[in-house]
């Protein structure tokens, strides 16, 4: 007996039986929900992962029977880019906001080690945006554009041998974040016998490497039979085409070759109809629900645990969000106070170290000053000695000069007197 049956029995025991005297009307509640959902519209986001030119855009056009805006991509992208395009579709009175996210340049780089990381980051970014909206005080989830990826169509090249290591690594990194549905692209390029063996080989490799792909739910009795059968057809071998070819008296979507015509919607030719039925007609709501209840909840739980929020304390007793918040607040305040104390002690320590450095520099400067002062005194003494010596030399020179001038004056007087006497003698003789 399942847990839901036990809960239902418990509810039945507490239910109050009433005998209705007439029609009340709460049996219209499902109709009310349907009308409300129809008025609000739905959103569905598909991530297409595959090599350039493998047919991702063509398959999307074929799935939704329209021509989306497509961009040609080259094989020379330096890194993987994700391009998201949103379209408003309407079928009968149901509106669908469809977002198709295409991986541009996936697997085209020489170093493919980081090819999957951009895809993982994109999916986590959408989860984080939804989580931030949930954590707001004033939330607007009723009109919030949910960009979380609901289904990942992983396109496998029809090699007929085995999965590439990049495919295995990428799907292993994504299986806990998104609902992976593997598809073999361009299935008309491989024979039926090879295709059957290729499918078995792919599923065997996925199981041996622990890759969890999306399994169509079998717990609902209304779709249990068809989903069980479709789980046995995974991965779907698909062919996409928007061209119409006349077969008999009607036009069908097909790919025409010189050797014949491959009809897209002919289940004997490919699994396109199976993929469309399982993805859109039968399990679209389950894909949306699995994204929210499984993948997003796992991301949300890990993110809140990283932030320190838990449901139970070390004694396994339940803890309310308020208690957890208060405990984290006290822990944060204690951590803040501890860091302030550490910063204060570090500041004091650095001030002391700076004071010691300044004192040491002051002692060095004082020593240099004393040394320069001694050098100055020595130089001054030498200059004083030289000045005194020079003054002595000047005095001696002046004395010698005065003596020389005196001698010169005496000699001049003597010569003058001698000349006068000679002149007198000469005049007397005359």
């Amino acid at each position: 007996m399942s847990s839901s049956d036990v809960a239902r029995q418990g509810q039945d025991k507490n239910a109050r039986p009433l005998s209705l005297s007439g029609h009340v009307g709460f049996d219209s509640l499902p109709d009310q929900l349907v009308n409300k959902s129809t008025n609000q519209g739905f959103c569905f986001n598909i991530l297409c992962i595959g090599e350039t030119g493998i047919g991702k855009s063509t398959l999307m056009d074929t799935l939704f029977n329209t021509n989306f805006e497509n961009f040609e991509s080259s094989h020379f992208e330096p890194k993987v880019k994700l391009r998201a395009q949103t379209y408003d579709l309407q079928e009968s009175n149901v509106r669908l906001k469809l977002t198709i996210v295409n991986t541009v340049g996936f697997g085209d780089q020489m170093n493919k080690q980081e090819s999957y990381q951009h895809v993982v980051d994109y999916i986590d970014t959408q989860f984080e945006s939804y989580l931030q909206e949930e954590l707001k005080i004033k939330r607007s989830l009723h009109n919030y554009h949910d960009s979380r990826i609901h289904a990942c169509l992983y396109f496998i090249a029809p090699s007929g041998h085995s999965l590439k290591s990049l495919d295995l690594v990428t799907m292993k990194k994504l299986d806990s974040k998104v609902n992976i549905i593997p598809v073999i692209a361009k299935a008309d390029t491989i024979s039926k016998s090879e295709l059957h063996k290729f499918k078995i080989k792919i599923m065997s490799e996925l199981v041996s490497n622990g890759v969890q792909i999306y399994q169509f739910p079998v717990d609902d009795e209304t779709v249990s039979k068809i989903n069980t059968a479709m789980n046995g057809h995974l991965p779907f071998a698909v062919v996409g085409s928007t061209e119409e070819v006349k077969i008999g008296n009607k036009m069908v979507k097909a790919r025409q070759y010189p050797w014949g015509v491959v009809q897209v919607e002919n289940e004997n030719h490919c699994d396109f109809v199976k993929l469309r039925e399982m993805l859109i007609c039968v399990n679209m709501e389950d894909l949306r629900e699995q994204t929210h209840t499984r993948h997003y909840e796992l991301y949300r739980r890990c993110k809140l645990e990283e932030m320190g929020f838990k449901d139970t304390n070390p004694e396994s007793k339940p803890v309310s969000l308020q208690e957890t918040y208060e405990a984290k607040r006290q822990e944060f305040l204690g951590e803040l106070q501890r860091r302030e104390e550490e910063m204060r002690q570090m500041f004091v320590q650095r001030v002391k170290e700076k004071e010691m450095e300044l004192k040491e520099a002051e002692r060095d400067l004082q020593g240099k000053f004393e040394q320069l002062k001694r050098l100055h005194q020595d130089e001054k003494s030498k200059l004083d000695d030289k000045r005194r010596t020079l003054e002595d030399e000047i005095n001696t020179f002046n004395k010698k000069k005065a003596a020389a001038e005196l001698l010169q004056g005496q000699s001049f007087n003597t010569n003058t007197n001698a000349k006068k006497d000679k002149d007198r003698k000469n005049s007397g003789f005359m």
Side-chain angles (χ1 to χ4, degrees):
M1 182 180 295
S2 64
S3 59
S4 59
D5 294 335
V6 174
R8 193 178 298 110
Q9 287 183 0
Q11 292 176 355
D12 293 340
K13 292 179 181 180
N14 297 327
R16 179 185 176 186
L18 290 175
S19 57
L20 302 179
S21 58
H23 180 71
V24 176
F26 56 78
D27 58 350
S28 65
L29 182 58
D31 297 332
Q32 297 176 34
L33 293 175
V34 170
N35 294 334
K36 182 178 180 181
S37 299
T38 302
N39 292 332
Q40 290 179 349
F42 303 89
C43 71
F44 192 64
N45 307 318
I46 301 177
L47 171 64
C48 299
I49 303 179
E51 302 172 359
T52 304
I54 203 170
K56 301 185 292 294
S57 300
T58 303
L59 183 64
M60 289 297 102
D61 291 345
T62 312
L63 271 176
F64 293 94
N65 196 25
T66 186
N67 291 317
F68 295 117
E69 183 180 4
N70 297 321
F71 299 90
E72 293 185 2
S73 302
S74 68
H75 290 273
F76 304 101
E77 295 291 341
K79 63 179 181 179
V80 179
K81 299 178 182 178
L82 282 92
R83 180 185 294 138
Q85 296 170 274
T86 302
Y87 306 94
D88 291 321
L89 307 180
Q90 184 165 350
E91 190 173 49
S92 298
N93 64 333
V94 178
R95 292 180 293 107
L96 178 67
K97 185 181 287 292
L98 175 68
T99 300
I100 299 176
V101 183
N102 195 3
T103 53
V104 180
F106 182 80
D108 289 339
Q109 294 75 32
M110 292 294 293
N111 183 7
K112 300 178 176 60
Q113 189 173 5
E114 299 296 330
S115 296
Y116 64 86
Q117 191 59 47
H118 299 282
V119 183
V120 174
D121 293 342
Y122 180 86
I123 296 174
D124 286 344
T125 300
Q126 312 317 309
F127 283 154
E128 183 64 24
S129 298
Y130 193 88
L131 177 61
Q132 292 302 321
E133 184 65 28
E134 269 194 335
L135 295 178
K136 287 182 179 178
I137 296 177
K138 187 177 181 180
R139 300 182 298 180
S140 300
L141 293 176
H142 62 283
N143 58 0
Y144 174 77
H145 179 210
D146 187 1
S147 58
R148 296 174 296 177
I149 301 299
H150 299 122
C152 171
L153 294 182
Y154 197 97
F155 290 73
I156 301 172
S159 63
H161 301 291
S162 60
L163 289 172
K164 298 179 181 179
S165 58
L166 176 61
D167 297 331
L168 287 172
V169 171
T170 303
M171 283 192 275
K172 184 62 178 176
K173 294 291 183 181
L174 295 179
D175 63 357
S176 63
K177 297 178 178 295
V178 70
N179 301 310
I180 300 176
I181 302 176
V183 295
I184 301 174
K186 297 183 177 180
D188 53 342
T189 61
I190 186 172
S191 65
K192 281 192 173 182
S193 59
E194 291 177 338
L195 183 61
H196 180 69
K197 294 178 181 178
F198 191 35
K199 284 187 175 184
I200 296 175
K201 181 69 174 177
I202 289 174
M203 294 305 296
S204 175
E205 289 183 345
L206 292 177
V207 172
S208 61
N209 287 275
V211 178
Q212 300 292 327
I213 64 174
Y214 175 74
Q215 294 290 318
F216 302 118
V218 296
D219 52 352
D220 188 351
E221 295 180 356
T222 58
V223 296
S224 174
K225 185 176 180 180
I226 185 173
N227 279 349
T228 301
M230 290 300 104
N231 283 329
H233 287 280
L234 290 173
F236 293 128
V238 297
V239 176
S241 176
T242 56
E243 298 179 1
E244 292 189 347
V245 178
K246 188 173 184 180
I247 304 295
N249 296 325
K250 62 179 182 178
M251 303 295 292
V252 297
K253 290 185 175 63
R255 300 186 73 89
Q256 190 166 16
Y257 297 97
W259 46 263
V261 177
V262 177
Q263 299 179 35
V264 172
E265 296 180 327
N266 189 334
E267 295 191 44
N268 293 323
H269 291 183
C270 68
D271 297 332
F272 172 80
V273 173
K274 295 183 179 67
L275 174 63
R276 185 176 61 187
E277 291 291 320
M278 291 298 98
L279 180 67
I280 301 175
C281 301
V282 180
N283 298 302
M284 179 181 282
E285 181 57 31
D286 184 73
L287 288 165
R288 287 158 39 92
E289 183 181 352
Q290 286 292 323
T291 299
H292 183 78
T293 60
R294 179 186 170 194
H295 301 298
Y296 170 69
E297 283 299 320
L298 177 61
Y299 177 85
R300 176 179 174 275
R301 185 184 69 191
C302 294
K303 201 69 176 179
L304 292 179
E305 286 179 351
E306 288 178 4
M307 297 168 63
F309 292 97
K310 296 181 180 179
D311 293 331
T312 58
N313 57 16
E315 290 78 19
S316 299
K317 295 182 179 179
V319 180
S320 66
L321 182 63
Q322 179 64 29
E323 293 174 343
T324 305
Y325 170 76
E326 189 62 30
K328 291 299 296 181
R329 180 174 177 274
Q330 294 299 328
E331 181 182 349
F332 173 76
L333 292 176
E335 181 69 16
L336 182 62
Q337 187 176 1
R338 184 183 64 81
R339 289 188 179 183
E340 287 180 352
E341 183 64 22
E342 288 181 356
M343 292 180 65
R344 189 186 66 80
Q345 293 179 359
M346 187 180 299
F347 176 76
V348 172
Q349 181 66 24
R350 288 187 177 181
V351 169
K352 290 181 180 179
E353 291 176 356
K354 198 66 178 178
E355 287 180 351
M356 293 178 64
E357 291 177 3
L358 292 174
K359 289 180 180 179
E360 186 68 25
E362 185 180 359
R363 285 193 294 268
D364 292 341
L365 289 174
Q366 186 66 29
K368 290 181 180 180
F369 174 73
E370 295 294 337
Q371 183 180 2
L372 291 174
K373 187 177 180 181
R374 289 192 297 270
L375 290 175
H376 175 70
Q377 290 177 352
D378 294 341
E379 291 294 330
K380 185 178 179 182
S381 299
K382 291 179 181 179
L383 289 175
D384 290 339
D385 293 341
K386 288 182 179 181
R387 182 175 58 78
R388 286 192 293 270
T389 302
L390 184 58
E391 287 177 352
D392 293 340
E393 290 178 355
I394 292 174
N395 292 331
T396 302
F397 175 77
N398 290 332
K399 289 178 180 179
K400 290 181 179 181
K401 180 181 179 182
E405 290 177 350
L406 181 61
L407 290 175
Q408 185 178 5
Q410 292 177 354
S411 174
F412 178 75
N413 291 334
T414 302
N415 291 334
T416 303
N417 293 332
K419 185 178 180 181
K420 288 180 179 180
D421 291 339
K422 186 178 180 180
D423 289 338
R424 282 195 300 268
K425 287 179 180 182
N426 290 335
S427 63
F429 178 75
M430 291 298 295

